[in-house]
Amino acid sequence: MLEIEIVKQGEQVRRATVEVQCIVGRSPDADVRIDDGLCSRRHLRLYRQGGAWLALDLNSSNGTTYNERPLSGPTVLTAGDRLRIGTHEILVRGDTIGGQGHETPQDQGGHAAGHDSFGGPGSQHALSPALDAEEQDGIKREIHKQLLDELDLKSIDLSKLDTEEVRHKAGDAVRGIIAGLKAHGTLDAQADETGLLKEVIDEALGLGPLEPLLEDATVSEVMVNAKDQIYIERDGRIERTPLRFSSDRAMLNVVERIVSPIGRRIDEGSPTVDARLRDGSRVHVIIPPLAIKGPTITIRKFSRRPYTIDDLIRFGTMTEKMSQFLRIAIETRKNIVVSGGTGSGKTTLLNVLSGFIPGDERILTIEDAAELKLVQPHVVSLEARPANIEGRGAITIRELVRNALRMRPDRIIVGECRGGEALDMLQAMNTGHDGSLTTLHANGPRDALSRLETMVLMSGMELPVRAIREQIWSALDLIVQQTRFRDGSRRIAAITEVQGMEGDTIVLQDVFSFEMSGTDSAGKVLGVFRPTGFVPRFVEELRAHHMEVPQDIFT
């Protein structure tokens, strides 16, 4: 057993013995409670491992000192060592061989010292001797620190960091570090070296605990709320994972490796960033001071094999008739807006619809962060650029749309309209760039029109409302409304034609709609897709030009 004394000037000495391990902290549930404002709720762990007693700071707010030096990583204790937490000092008296009991001595003032025993089989606070998550984090931080010292990873070009050569060198170094920790008793000799090696290498060179999630094809979204809170979306449902980063610093290192190769930056002066991974997945990051709990990462994954229209029919996103109609609309160069809420599948649907564009046309894509993967050979992809560290050099989507008009496009695809670029997009649709596509956030076709009006006003042009609406109805042909239902399924809720103006109101008419009938016992949304029976105006125009459109699509 480990004998310790807890000392604070002006208070009586408390003595305790630790049989296996104990937690020191301010929490009422702590095995050794220290009532000190500088002490965290779970501040320090004392535990036996590999024949030695160790102390590990549990990522406390104010830290722990060990013999007047900061306690860093698991540290072996010997008799006479002093640990300080705030105004309290823990004196290590030594190990009692065999764990035999002993009498409670008197302190220097003649008062009986308080005495407790923790971590034994009969103790109320008995804990497993296995390392908990915080202690594993401490060991990983120590290995990572030694790895930095040995290989000087900070000096390696970030674009070359995650290469086989660097990974091989780092692997050899980590194996040596792990062997040293086992020899000193800091790390259990039975510890899973292979798993620990992979975790440390991934965190030092790759994307840390996110690596297996990005490799998992069933995961569609990864959401990191804090270093120890990682959620995923699978089959439309959100679940928490047991994975965690070892520290906020490790998270920021991962973010830096994501944004640096594509010329983006993130710091206190620019605490948000949109970026993409090498596989095309979209990444959004926000850090303190805007993110109160620490760095927050959201990754929208995309299938490594782009979805096709047959995939969406199989998923229940649309029917065969709806796909036929959309194919005709795109091949005949109708202007289409895909609207929907966040995570409803707008970009995926836009990517699939773009597959209907003939391969002999010149297509320009414009996005904040490049996500679209078009299959046509003649594609020019443009990406907006944020301001540099001096606040200069930003290139907005609106500027790119204006440039696109000078690049002889047959079609323009804007990943998402969020502001004044909506006016430029509408003007492009009205001036010979038929067949263009874009997405926007809206809860329904009528709401999409209101959003477009608002975004046109954001351009700074003081146009009358009627003039804006005339621009909209003359430019747009169809609105495709994509919806994510509460069971996680994604469906096209409506395909709506923009027909014209009646007074100051734009007339809309649904061509297809999804009618929800309820949910089953498992919570799955039930319903059917129905054509409304309405034949769009442009179909009649096609027939007048001897382009046959199957009538059964609309019945």
Side-chain angles (χ1 to χ4, degrees):
M1 293 188 292
L2 180 71
E3 294 185 355
I4 59 173
E5 291 182 356
I6 301 93
V7 180
K8 182 183 179 182
Q9 189 174 5
E11 295 184 1
Q12 73 174 35
V13 175
R14 288 189 290 153
R15 293 198 177 115
T17 57
V18 182
E19 295 183 10
V20 177
Q21 67 174 350
C22 77
I23 301 298
V24 180
R26 188 162 44 87
S27 169
D29 297 330
D31 300 319
V32 174
R33 187 163 185 263
I34 292 182
D35 189 11
D36 189 319
L38 298 175
C39 181
S40 298
R41 292 177 61 80
R42 285 170 56 87
H43 195 106
L44 178 72
R45 182 182 185 229
L46 305 176
Y47 62 102
R48 189 181 186 89
Q49 184 173 295
W53 286 99
L54 292 90
L56 177 68
D57 186 274
L58 299 179
N59 208 19
S60 63
S61 300
N62 297 295
T64 306
T65 62
Y66 166 74
N67 295 338
E68 309 306 326
R69 299 191 308 271
L71 181 65
S72 176
T75 302
V76 176
L77 298 174
T78 58
D81 285 343
R82 294 172 176 267
L83 299 161
R84 177 171 288 279
I85 298 175
T87 58
H88 288 70
E89 197 168 55
I90 298 175
L91 307 181
V92 178
R93 289 307 184 194
D95 191 5
T96 303
I97 304 298
Q100 299 298 318
H102 57 281
E103 294 183 3
T104 301
Q106 304 293 317
D107 67 14
Q108 293 178 351
H111 301 287
H115 188 278
D116 295 296
S117 178
F118 302 103
S123 169
Q124 183 180 0
H125 300 283
L127 300 173
S128 168
L131 295 177
D132 63 23
E134 290 176 334
E135 291 149 357
Q136 292 179 36
D137 290 346
I139 289 176
K140 283 190 283 185
R141 282 196 300 271
E142 179 64 21
I143 297 173
H144 195 176
K145 177 185 175 185
Q146 293 187 36
L147 182 63
L148 285 174
D149 294 338
E150 189 162 333
L151 292 187
D152 194 16
L153 292 177
K154 293 181 179 179
S155 67
I156 299 176
D157 184 351
L158 284 173
S159 63
K160 301 176 182 177
L161 190 61
D162 196 12
T163 62
E164 285 302 318
E165 181 184 358
V166 176
R167 275 187 172 259
H168 182 71
K169 290 181 179 178
D172 289 342
V174 171
R175 289 186 189 93
I177 295 168
I178 291 175
L181 292 176
K182 286 184 176 181
H184 286 87
T186 303
L187 183 62
D188 191 336
Q190 304 302 317
D192 178 12
E193 181 175 329
T194 303
L196 184 58
L197 175 69
K198 184 180 188 310
E199 289 181 25
V200 172
I201 295 297
D202 282 346
E203 194 163 271
L205 305 179
L207 302 181
L210 305 186
E211 292 274 1
L213 301 179
L214 296 175
E215 293 169 4
D216 188 343
T218 66
V219 174
S220 57
E221 192 136 10
V222 180
M223 297 152 279
V224 185
N225 297 352
K227 69 181 181 68
D228 56 351
Q229 292 183 19
I230 301 179
Y231 291 83
I232 60 171
E233 182 186 68
R234 181 184 277 124
D235 297 327
R237 296 182 181 275
I238 294 176
E239 57 189 76
R240 185 170 180 172
T241 74
L243 302 174
R244 54 190 285 140
F245 286 90
S246 62
S247 65
D248 287 347
R249 182 66 258 172
M251 283 183 66
L252 289 173
N253 289 339
V254 166
V255 171
E256 190 69 22
R257 287 194 284 275
I258 292 173
V259 303
S260 292
I262 58 173
R264 302 293 173 92
R265 69 183 182 89
I266 187 163
D267 50 40
E268 287 191 7
S270 179
T272 67
V273 69
D274 287 301
R276 66 181 183 278
L277 301 179
R278 282 175 293 187
D279 65 357
S281 298
R282 185 180 70 199
V283 183
H284 176 77
V285 182
I286 183 167
I287 66 172
L290 301 188
I292 297 172
K293 293 183 179 179
T296 301
I297 306 171
T298 309
I299 301 176
R300 174 73 54 80
K301 288 178 59 183
F302 296 98
S303 173
R304 293 175 182 175
R305 178 185 68 83
Y307 288 132
T308 65
I309 197 71
D310 291 334
D311 291 324
L312 297 193
I313 293 172
R314 189 175 71 255
F315 296 156
T317 301
M318 67 176 80
T319 63
E320 178 66 36
K321 287 184 177 182
M322 295 164 73
S323 73
Q324 283 183 267
F325 175 71
L326 290 172
R327 180 189 294 272
I328 291 169
I330 290 172
E331 289 179 347
T332 56
R333 303 180 67 85
K334 299 306 169 187
N335 295 321
I336 299 175
V337 165
V338 177
S339 68
T342 299
S344 61
K346 300 186 297 298
T347 303
T348 298
L349 179 59
L350 182 66
N351 209 61
V352 170
L353 295 181
S354 69
F356 293 145
I357 299 175
D360 59 351
E361 296 188 20
R362 178 175 169 85
I363 309 166
L364 263 71
T365 67
I366 302 170
E367 302 172 84
D368 261 333
E371 302 171 25
L372 297 174
K373 297 178 181 178
L374 274 64
V375 296
Q376 291 83 351
H378 198 169
V379 178
V380 178
S381 299
L382 306 179
E383 185 177 57
R385 185 179 73 187
N388 60 20
I389 196 168
E390 290 84 19
R392 301 174 183 172
I395 304 295
T396 65
I397 284 187
R398 186 172 189 191
E399 291 175 84
L400 293 179
V401 172
R402 291 174 179 173
N403 276 276
L405 301 178
R406 306 184 186 98
M407 298 172 67
R408 203 257 174 233
D410 288 310
R411 304 195 193 219
I412 298 174
I413 301 179
V414 176
E416 184 177 338
C417 282
R418 294 192 183 97
E421 65 271 9
L423 175 61
D424 301 287
M425 186 71 186
L426 292 173
Q427 289 178 331
M429 292 175 171
N430 276 322
T431 54
H433 299 90
D434 295 331
S436 294
L437 305 168
T438 189
T439 72
L440 56 83
H441 281 83
N443 294 324
R446 179 66 61 184
D447 187 41
L449 297 181
S450 299
R451 286 273 295 153
L452 275 172
E453 287 181 31
T454 302
M455 287 188 284
V456 169
L457 292 172
M458 291 168 65
S459 69
M461 301 289 289
E462 296 183 3
L463 298 173
V465 172
R466 182 176 178 84
I468 295 173
R469 291 178 180 174
E470 286 177 348
Q471 281 272 343
I472 293 172
W473 83 258
S474 63
L476 294 186
D477 295 298
L478 293 175
I479 299 172
V480 180
Q481 180 66 35
Q482 179 89 352
T483 300
R484 181 180 185 272
F485 290 86
R486 59 176 174 264
D487 64 348
S489 62
R490 296 167 172 87
R491 296 182 174 90
I492 293 178
I495 299 177
T496 305
E497 184 185 38
V498 181
Q499 288 197 300
M501 294 275 291
E502 285 186 2
D504 289 337
T505 303
I506 298 175
V507 178
L508 301 178
Q509 178 63 55
D510 287 346
V511 182
F512 294 90
S513 64
F514 177 76
E515 295 180 7
M516 180 176 165
S517 58
T519 57
D520 64 13
S521 58
K524 185 177 180 180
V525 171
L526 304 175
V528 294
F529 294 100
R530 295 191 188 279
T532 62
F534 172 77
V535 178
R537 181 184 57 189
F538 72 82
V539 170
E540 300 301 330
E541 294 173 359
L542 295 177
R543 288 173 177 164
H545 289 83
H546 307 291
M547 296 178 66
E548 193 56 40
V549 179
Q551 183 64 34
D552 63 352
I553 291 178
F554 308 105
T555 60

